[in-house]
Amino acid sequence: MQRDGAGTRAWWDRMEAKKPTRHDADYWLARSAFCWSEQRLEEAWESWEKGNALVNELPRVGVYETDRDNFALLRRELESARAVAVLTKA
């Protein structure tokens, strides 16, 4: 995965300027990925957990399976980032 911290920050700022009121699974997935791109792993995990809980309440059909797959992909990235953080602190 490619990370573009500046591009992600600009996108997130534009999105937040719209003052979203619906914090669904897609919102939390995006927030988690945004935090990950800025190396804010604790916040990324918190957002991931909120969104993952929501997506797992959805029916086991079509597009919702894609949402669950996206959460699984991001989880792998977050786990890798956590492992790197642990290794660099040691």
Side-chain angles (χ1 to χ4, degrees):
M1 282 188 152
Q2 181 180 2
R3 282 186 247 181
D4 174 9
T8 306
R9 167 55 72 181
W11 177 85
W12 187 257
D13 288 345
R14 283 191 307 272
M15 198 274 301
E16 284 292 300
K18 295 178 182 181
K19 307 231 185 280
T21 57
R22 193 171 141 205
H23 293 157
D24 59 8
D26 291 331
Y27 172 88
W28 292 113
L29 181 69
R31 177 157 177 74
S32 180
F34 164 65
C35 292
W36 168 76
S37 77
E38 291 195 333
Q39 298 297 311
R40 296 183 355 234
L41 298 180
E42 187 173 325
E43 290 176 71
W45 274 110
E46 289 170 5
S47 295
W48 184 90
E49 288 170 358
K50 288 177 184 179
N52 191 58
L54 291 173
V55 82
N56 282 318
E57 293 175 1
L58 299 171
R60 298 274 173 199
V61 295
V63 70
Y64 300 136
E65 291 302 326
T66 301
D67 289 341
R68 280 185 273 279
D69 290 345
N70 288 334
F71 272 90
L73 289 170
L74 184 54
R75 180 185 181 122
R76 283 197 293 252
E77 293 299 325
L78 291 172
E79 287 172 343
S80 293
R82 180 171 39 199
V84 168
V86 167
L87 289 174
T88 57
K89 286 183 183 179

